Amino acid sequence: MTPCECAVADCLLCEARLLSGLAEQQVCSVPGLILRELRAPGEFLFHQGGPSRHLYVLKAGYVKLAAALPDGREQVLGIGVEGNLLGFEGFSQEVFPYSAQALTPVHVCGVRRTDMTRILTGNPKVTLDVLRVLNAELERSKALIMDLGLRTAPERVASFLLSLLPPGRTWERELPLPLKRREIAEMLGLREETVSRVIAGLRRERVIRTRQGKVQILDFARLRSQAGFSPAEVPESRFATA
Amino acid sequence: MTPCECAVADCLLCEARLLSGLAEQQVCSVPGLILRELRAPGEFLFHQGGPSRHLYVLKAGYVKLAAALPDGREQVLGIGVEGNLLGFEGFSQEVFPYSAQALTPVHVCGVRRTDMTRILTGNPKVTLDVLRVLNAELERSKALIMDLGLRTAPERVASFLLSLLPPGRTWERELPLPLKRREIAEMLGLREETVSRVIAGLRRERVIRTRQGKVQILDFARLRSQAGFSPAEVPESRFATA
DNA sequence: CGACCGGTTGATAAGAGTCAACATCCGTGG
DNA sequence: CCACGGATGTTGACTCTTATCAACCGGTCG
């Protein structure tokens, strides 16, 4: 019953038990089951098309999830944050349908797919948690679909900026923005130049302030109205889920 | 152990057992647990923003899943087909984040959310199945994101048409197309007129043939190349999952 | 028959993409 | 410590795709 050595609270995996040898023990303490990995910015956790032998739980850092078309066009499908499951689609498939690349120093726990199946079947509670996490991910995907399908460029950028806000907290603070213009564009189905222009506009209008990998929202109301949300509507955070 | 009265093979729910009173019995045979519903085309299974008291398993028919922005713009998020879970996001939320509307006569089984939790905790196997279905849905969402984020109008339409193909089967046959031009447009982030023009073009070029709620693919290779898929790549069916 | 709905087509406008130049930031090495 | 070089970000001029507005066709159903 020693707490998991990685010492992250509420970890899906750490909560799970596994019958190994004689006794039920915490998953984390079964030797060789969980591999803890550290990745530097730019490094890949896995590649689109590569064999999906592991699933990951993201413990710390930001990860870019992206898929490319054969001609090279790339779409950022989402940003993984602390607590997210990565490569879970590998659970029912042989190859990863997209790549995961560290944006910041990243800390993950990896589990072999086969082990994960065992863990899941033996831990209904964990499975329910996984269900919830997956559901949340589906939500985020649908939100991105809404952005791409029916918002204009300025609306998409505004919506994106709002999605940087952590759930409960209101704006005020300076927020980390681990994506380059290029990557924001690839996420929003726009071009780098367009994103730059829109952001420049927002800056001119004193709606936001940008500073080197950080953004500060100065006029929350205006940003929200520009994003096309209803006055009351609080856009669920699609980014900082942590 | 009487087979489920709805007589659909491989139904997630029917496979599940539930401890009710004294004995474990099939979920379907517990009176009052499953409500079977029949909906006419145009009718809603549930509304965006409405309270999510039930989850549904779609047994037969097509269902349109769509969400609207406060200003009325509507995005079709996907098409539900036989075997799909509907309103499952309600599992972790109080209100449905989108609406579900029958496109054809539709047959669903509904379960109260609270009952579903009980079913899931007691049936690890079912939970794994649900996981897989949810995963598949995530895939479909990501595929739509790819369409919206980096394909042009003609590419989107081609990609959409290919997504009508059932998984294993090759083209040849005439395929059902339960969506109006308007709805295709709402799904692809385009306008009715644009979809119409692109389809007209494909028809002129003898790539497809259209006839009253049906499409026939005449030139599979050309359609696939127009969609921007790699030569080998078979686009996973995002539509007729059944 | 006439109204309505879904679909098609045309002319024009607007939004975003493209290409190209330039500005900034930052790390590196002299 | 400063100067250079590459990567990132900004801005401008022009182009092209797709949206918009409008008319029209063909079927269906009162």
Side-chain angles (χ1 to χ4, degrees):
Chain A
M1 291 298 166
T2 51
C4 171
E5 61 166 313
C6 59
V8 172
D10 296 330
C11 172
L12 267 178
L13 282 177
C14 297
E15 301 291 323
R17 315 274 138 156
L18 192 65
L19 201 68
S20 74
L22 291 167
E24 241 190 46
Q25 46 182 307
Q26 271 186 297
V27 161
C28 288
S29 57
V30 179
L33 186 64
I34 306 285
L35 50 138
R36 307 174 64 224
E37 295 183 15
L38 207 53
R39 295 299 170 89
E43 287 187 352
F44 283 85
L45 273 73
F46 51 83
H47 283 276
Q48 177 178 14
S52 66
R53 281 190 276 271
H54 294 88
L55 314 176
Y56 302 89
V57 180
L58 182 51
K59 311 295 259 181
Y62 289 114
V63 172
K64 179 176 82 169
L65 308 169
L69 246 40
D71 65 9
R73 285 177 284 179
E74 182 160 297
Q75 174 68 38
V76 173
L77 296 166
I79 303 300
V81 300
E82 188 184 318
N84 280 180
L85 299 173
L86 302 179
F88 205 86
E89 19 287 295
F91 185 63
S92 25
Q93 292 194 204
E94 290 302 315
V95 299
F96 291 114
Y98 52 82
S99 308
Q101 187 179 20
L103 290 171
T104 60
V106 152
H107 181 192
V108 290
C109 284
V111 197
R112 275 184 299 274
R113 198 166 57 161
T114 51
D115 292 331
M116 192 61 189
T117 310
R118 276 204 299 154
I119 293 172
L120 287 176
T121 49
N123 295 267
K125 185 129 176 307
V126 172
T127 313
L128 278 188
D129 284 342
V130 172
L131 227 56
R132 257 178 269 273
V133 173
L134 242 48
N135 239 179
E137 220 174 303
L138 244 169
E139 290 279 327
R140 290 202 290 163
S141 289
K142 307 256 194 227
L144 185 53
I145 290 175
M146 297 291 284
D147 276 358
L148 295 172
L150 36 77
R151 285 196 231 265
T152 64
E155 288 170 340
R156 287 182 213 186
V157 173
S159 172
F160 168 80
L161 288 171
L162 287 172
S163 80
L164 297 175
L165 284 168
R169 311 188 49 47
T170 15
W171 37 316
E172 68 250 7
R173 297 222 44 54
E174 213 173 37
L175 303 162
L177 178 54
L179 298 180
K180 310 186 211 306
R181 296 285 179 275
R182 178 73 182 287
E183 295 169 317
I184 298 173
E186 283 172 345
M187 179 159 179
L188 301 180
L190 301 171
R191 290 317 176 129
E192 193 180 341
E193 297 94 324
T194 306
V195 171
S196 187
R197 278 186 244 271
V198 172
I199 287 184
L202 289 171
R203 215 171 19 217
R204 257 195 308 279
E205 308 255 345
R206 310 254 177 269
V207 176
I208 62 168
R209 177 176 308 180
T210 63
R211 207 170 64 188
Q212 193 44 343
K214 302 223 177 298
V215 220
Q216 185 175 3
I217 297 176
L218 302 175
D219 191 338
F220 184 73
R222 202 121 69 88
L223 196 56
R224 199 172 50 186
S225 82
Q226 166 144 21
F229 289 106
S230 62
E233 202 175 352
V234 183
E236 7 55 55
S237 168
R238 309 210 295 279
F239 199 93
T241 300
Chain B
M1 291 300 160
T2 50
C4 171
E5 60 167 313
C6 59
V8 173
D10 295 331
C11 171
L12 266 178
L13 282 177
C14 297
E15 301 291 323
R17 315 274 137 160
L18 192 64
L19 200 69
S20 76
L22 291 168
E24 243 190 44
Q25 47 182 306
Q26 273 185 298
V27 161
C28 288
S29 58
V30 179
L33 187 63
I34 306 285
L35 51 138
R36 307 175 64 224
E37 294 183 16
L38 208 53
R39 296 299 170 88
E43 287 186 352
F44 283 86
L45 274 73
F46 51 82
H47 283 276
Q48 177 178 12
S52 65
R53 281 188 276 270
H54 294 90
L55 313 175
Y56 302 88
V57 180
L58 182 51
K59 310 297 258 183
Y62 289 114
V63 172
K64 179 176 83 170
L65 307 170
L69 246 41
D71 64 9
R73 286 177 283 179
E74 183 161 295
Q75 175 67 38
V76 173
L77 296 166
I79 304 300
V81 301
E82 189 184 314
N84 280 180
L85 299 173
L86 302 179
F88 205 85
E89 18 289 294
F91 185 63
S92 25
Q93 292 195 204
E94 290 302 316
V95 299
F96 291 113
Y98 53 81
S99 308
Q101 186 178 21
L103 290 170
T104 61
V106 151
H107 181 192
V108 291
C109 284
V111 198
R112 275 184 298 275
R113 197 166 59 162
T114 52
D115 292 332
M116 192 62 190
T117 309
R118 273 203 300 156
I119 293 171
L120 288 176
T121 50
N123 295 268
K125 185 128 177 308
V126 172
T127 313
L128 278 188
D129 283 343
V130 171
L131 226 55
R132 259 179 268 272
V133 174
L134 241 47
N135 240 179
E137 219 174 303
L138 244 169
E139 289 280 328
R140 291 201 290 162
S141 289
K142 307 253 194 229
L144 184 53
I145 290 175
M146 298 290 284
D147 277 358
L148 295 171
L150 34 78
R151 286 198 229 266
T152 64
E155 287 171 340
R156 287 183 213 184
V157 173
S159 171
F160 169 80
L161 289 171
L162 287 171
S163 79
L164 297 175
L165 284 167
R169 314 188 47 49
T170 15
W171 39 312
E172 67 248 9
R173 302 223 34 60
E174 213 175 36
L175 303 161
L177 178 54
L179 298 179
K180 310 188 213 305
R181 296 285 178 275
R182 177 72 180 286
E183 295 168 318
I184 298 173
E186 284 172 345
M187 180 159 177
L188 301 181
L190 301 171
R191 292 311 177 142
E192 192 179 344
E193 298 94 324
T194 305
V195 171
S196 185
R197 277 185 245 270
V198 173
I199 287 183
L202 289 170
R203 214 170 22 216
R204 256 195 309 279
E205 307 255 345
R206 309 254 176 268
V207 177
I208 61 168
R209 178 174 307 178
T210 63
R211 207 169 62 188
Q212 193 46 331
K214 303 222 176 299
V215 220
Q216 186 174 4
I217 297 176
L218 302 175
D219 191 338
F220 183 73
R222 203 121 67 88
L223 196 57
R224 199 173 47 185
S225 82
Q226 165 144 21
F229 289 106
S230 61
E233 201 176 351
V234 182
E236 6 57 53
S237 168
R238 309 210 297 278
F239 198 91
T241 300

